[in-house]
Structure formats: C-alpha cells, structure tokens
Amino acid sequence: MKNKKALIFVIIVYLVAFCTNMGNSITGPMLNDVINHYGIGLAGSGTISSLQNVGSVLTSILFVLWLKRYNRARLFLVPALVIGCSAIFMGLAPQYGIFVTLYFTMGVGIAFTDVLANALIPDLLSDSKTAALSILHGMAGLGAVTLAIFSGVLLDSGAAWNRVYSIVGICMLVLAIAIAAGNIICGKEILPMVTPVEEKGSTPIKVFLIDKMIWLMLVIMILYAAAQSTVAVWMPQYCKEVFGSTAMEANGALIAYWSGAAPVRILYGTTGLKKLDTRKVLIYGNVLSGIALLIGLVFRSYWAVIISIWLFGVLNAVAIPLIISIANSYYPSDSSMVSSAMILGLYIATIIIPVVVANCAFALGMNSIFVIAIVLVIASGLLGICIKSRSVPDAV
C-alpha cells in the first residue's frame, strides 16, 4: 500500500472488528449462565439477542439516512466507547431490566461499528475491497473464537460469569484510545478517503428502493444472517441441553464455527480464492453448509455436531462479505448506503430469529434449532441463482 497512514488505520479497523465480534458473540457462551442468574427460562432467553439487534436495526436505519455526510474515521470512535461502556456496566450484573437495556445500547454500538467498518475498508482499500472485506470478517471471526475459548476456560475455572463482559468492555475502551490516536496520526492523509464528498446526492434513495437486485441481496442477507445467528448463538446451548456439556465443551460449537469460518475468510482475501466466481461461491457454499448441518443432525453425537458446525463455517465463511461486495458492485460510488442496507438486513434477521428459535426449542425440542438453520441457509443459497451481473445501475 502506498499510503502507510491508511494502512495504520486499516489495522485499527481490523482490531476493532476483532473485539466487536467478541461482544457480538458473547450471548451464546453466556446464555446458560444468564438464564440461571436471572431466572428467565429458555423461551424468554430470545429477548436478550432481540433487544440487542433492535438497537442495531435502529442504528442502521439512521445510518442509511445520514452516514454519507460525515468523516467515518472520526465517527468510528463513538461505537467503541458505546460497546466498551455497555459491556463494563453489564459486567456489574445489574438488575435484569438494566441488563437487557445495556444489550440494546451494545447493539447500537455493534451496528455502528459494522456499518462504518464495512464502509471504511472499501474506502481505504478501494483497489482490493473484496479481499479486504473478507479479511475484515475473518478478523471478526477470530474475535469470536478468542471469546469462546477464554470464556469457556474462565467459566470452568469457577470465575463469575459477568467477568467476561467486563474484560470485553475494557478491551474495547483500549481500542477506543487507539482509534483516537489513529485519527490524530493519520487524519490528514486519510481525510480524502473517509470523507464521502463524491457520494453526496450521487444516488437518490428511491433508486435503491425500486432496485430488484438490491432487494434480492437484502433477502439473501436476511436468510443467511438468521441461519448464522441460530448456529452461533444457540449451538452452545444445544450442546449443554442435549449432551450435558461443560462450558468449554459447549463453547466448542462456537469455536468450531469460527475456526472454520475465520481462516477461510482470511485465505479468501489473501490468496487466489478471491478469483472464484462470487455468485457460485455464495450458492454452493450456502447449500452445502446446510447439507453439512443436516448430516450432524442425523448422527446426533457431540462430535458429529461439532464437525458439522465446523463444515458449516468453512463452506459459507465468505457469505456476508460476498453479499456486501456484490451489492456494492451495483452502486460502487455509494458504499456507505449499500453497506448500511445490507447490514440493516443482517440485523432485521437477528431481531426476529432469537425469539423464533427460543420458542421453537422450548415447544418442539432442541433439534428444531438445527432444522431452522438448515432451511434458512439452503434457501439463501438457492436464491443466489437469481443474482445477475450489472456493470452500472439500471436506469431510473
């Protein structure tokens, strides 16, 4: 990269994504402890993730309306502070009403980070945005693996469950300092890249609203995100309920998913894999990952489940960066608008799916978790058949 200052800020963005996904992935490993501590029951546990993602959706909608106007590098400090403070206060194990309210504010911060990071990386690395986005999501995956491992070790050692939240919060506040320093050190050099002068009024919102391809990509994102959320949040609880797993064994489900997904995302961004047809990778990856989960459900042993989840992570690892990249290719000068729309779809899915999964697991049994994830991910892959290439937006 010619601009070394831009590279410095890219590294900061990657580290923030790493830590943000620690916060975003914290629900799965902690779910059983939260249920027991607050006495909310299995059916009611879906409220936690839903409230987190209500905050995420509201933030994403707000960004669709005004993200174009501001310096994204400076804005990036805000979500780090929000996530860090929310997690630290959650670590105090407050009353349940305050606890879930903090999940809401953390959701605001996570969505803020997601949208900004998915817009900043194409801005700073415009010549290799698909590869760079894949690495970004790979770093996020490594954050989830790290969270699963250290939370499992901590909980099995007898440490208080709420300490995990405190550690994540502290890490995020340290990165907030890094973002502030990055703006001071790199601000002038990256200013033309992160201030969206070119995007002002470039494409009216009504153009997006009547674009069938944008709607298609949005639906694909919703279906895929719902499947991913089901696996990432509920499989640790599945292992505890069905196999009587310890905290570390249950977190093996989350470790399996992200240890499959994260390396593939990074490899996709740094090797010749990025030359593969993105549409075919999306279609085959999602469909085959659903089949892998089906095999795990059929054999229904701990290791069969863990292996099937690992394969699920490997096969559809790059789905989110691919969806964002394909959508961005329709409107290359509107990366913030398109990224906001796709991330909005992601969080719409994760508002609805926790409540659906929680109630299905309570009413129909834990195997329904597998069935939901299988149907959703295969549907998202099959819809990819309808994706069409387009060099420029359709005329209005």
Side-chain angles (χ1 to χ4, degrees):
M1 176 183 286
K2 295 180 180 179
N3 192 329
K4 292 182 180 179
K5 295 293 181 68
L7 179 58
I8 291 172
F9 209 85
V10 165
I11 292 170
I12 292 172
V13 173
Y14 283 158
L15 290 174
V16 172
F18 176 93
C19 195
T20 298
N21 209 33
M22 291 178 68
N24 196 33
S25 302
I26 204 168
T27 305
M30 308 308 301
L31 188 60
N32 194 62
D33 292 278
V34 172
I35 288 173
N36 292 335
H37 181 81
Y38 290 109
I40 55 177
L42 185 63
S45 60
T47 305
I48 297 172
S49 291
S50 289
L51 279 175
Q52 174 183 320
N53 294 306
V54 166
S56 299
V57 166
L58 293 176
T59 304
S60 299
I61 292 172
L62 180 64
F63 271 29
V64 168
L65 298 177
W66 59 262
L67 178 61
K68 287 183 175 187
R69 305 174 187 177
Y70 301 100
N71 181 321
R72 295 165 189 153
R74 292 177 184 172
L75 280 176
F76 206 47
L77 176 63
V78 176
L81 292 172
V82 172
I83 296 170
C85 292
S86 296
I88 285 175
F89 283 120
M90 292 165 85
L92 300 176
Q95 293 181 344
Y96 182 66
I98 297 173
F99 185 76
V100 294
T101 300
L102 289 168
Y103 252 103
F104 172 86
T105 61
M106 187 165 69
V108 170
I110 289 170
F112 207 147
T113 302
D114 275 352
V115 175
L116 283 173
N118 280 282
L120 276 168
I121 292 301
D123 290 340
L124 295 168
L125 298 172
S126 56
D127 294 336
S128 54
K129 65 180 180 182
T130 300
L133 281 170
S134 187
I135 295 171
L136 174 72
H137 289 269
M139 288 298 296
L142 292 177
V145 171
T146 302
L147 183 280
I149 293 172
F150 97 72
S151 65
V153 171
L154 203 65
L155 293 174
D156 282 342
S157 72
W161 63 272
N162 49 310
R163 187 175 297 178
V164 178
Y165 289 91
S166 299
I167 292 171
V168 171
I170 292 168
C171 290
M172 205 68 204
L173 290 182
V174 170
L175 284 174
I177 296 172
I179 295 168
N183 272 284
I184 294 170
I185 296 168
C186 313
K188 291 182 180 179
E189 287 80 359
I190 66 174
L191 183 62
M193 304 176 191
V194 300
T195 305
V197 177
E198 306 88 353
E199 294 189 68
K200 290 182 179 179
S202 57
T203 305
I205 292 179
K206 67 178 182 179
V207 174
F208 295 100
L209 295 177
I210 63 173
D211 191 327
K212 293 179 180 179
M213 284 297 105
I214 291 295
W215 281 105
L216 174 64
M217 299 311 300
L218 187 62
V219 172
I220 292 173
M221 176 66 90
I222 289 171
L223 292 172
Y224 173 75
Q228 185 202 53
S229 176
T230 300
V231 171
V233 174
W234 281 93
M235 287 307 178
Q237 187 67 19
Y238 179 92
C239 290
K240 288 176 182 176
E241 294 277 345
V242 175
F243 305 119
S245 301
T246 65
M248 191 63 199
E249 289 171 343
N251 285 2
L254 193 60
I255 294 168
Y257 171 69
W258 285 112
S259 65
V264 172
R265 288 180 177 181
I266 294 172
L267 286 172
Y268 189 88
T270 56
T271 68
L273 289 174
K274 60 179 175 288
K275 297 179 182 178
L276 296 172
D277 186 305
T278 55
R279 176 174 167 273
K280 289 182 180 179
V281 172
L282 186 64
I283 295 169
Y284 288 114
N286 287 9
V287 171
L288 291 174
S289 68
I291 294 172
L293 282 185
L294 179 60
I295 294 172
L297 176 60
V298 170
F299 283 93
R300 203 170 177 265
S301 69
Y302 174 79
W303 285 109
V305 166
I306 293 299
I307 293 170
S308 72
I309 293 171
W310 181 80
L311 287 171
F312 177 86
V314 168
L315 291 166
N316 65 42
V318 292
I320 291 176
L322 286 185
I323 292 168
I324 293 172
S325 180
I326 292 169
N328 275 334
S329 70
Y330 297 141
Y331 297 92
S333 64
D334 287 277
S335 63
S336 63
M337 179 71 77
V338 175
S339 295
S340 296
M342 294 303 111
I343 296 299
L344 175 60
L346 187 155
Y347 286 120
I348 287 173
T350 50
I351 283 178
I352 299 169
I353 200 64
V355 175
V356 172
V357 172
N359 283 279
C360 285
F362 177 75
L364 304 175
M366 298 300 286
N367 286 339
S368 61
I369 296 171
F370 263 95
V371 175
I372 291 168
I374 291 166
V375 171
L376 290 170
V377 76
I378 290 178
S380 70
L382 293 177
L383 271 180
I385 296 170
C386 302
I387 295 172
K388 295 179 181 179
S389 298
R390 193 176 66 203
S391 58
V392 293
D394 291 336
V396 183

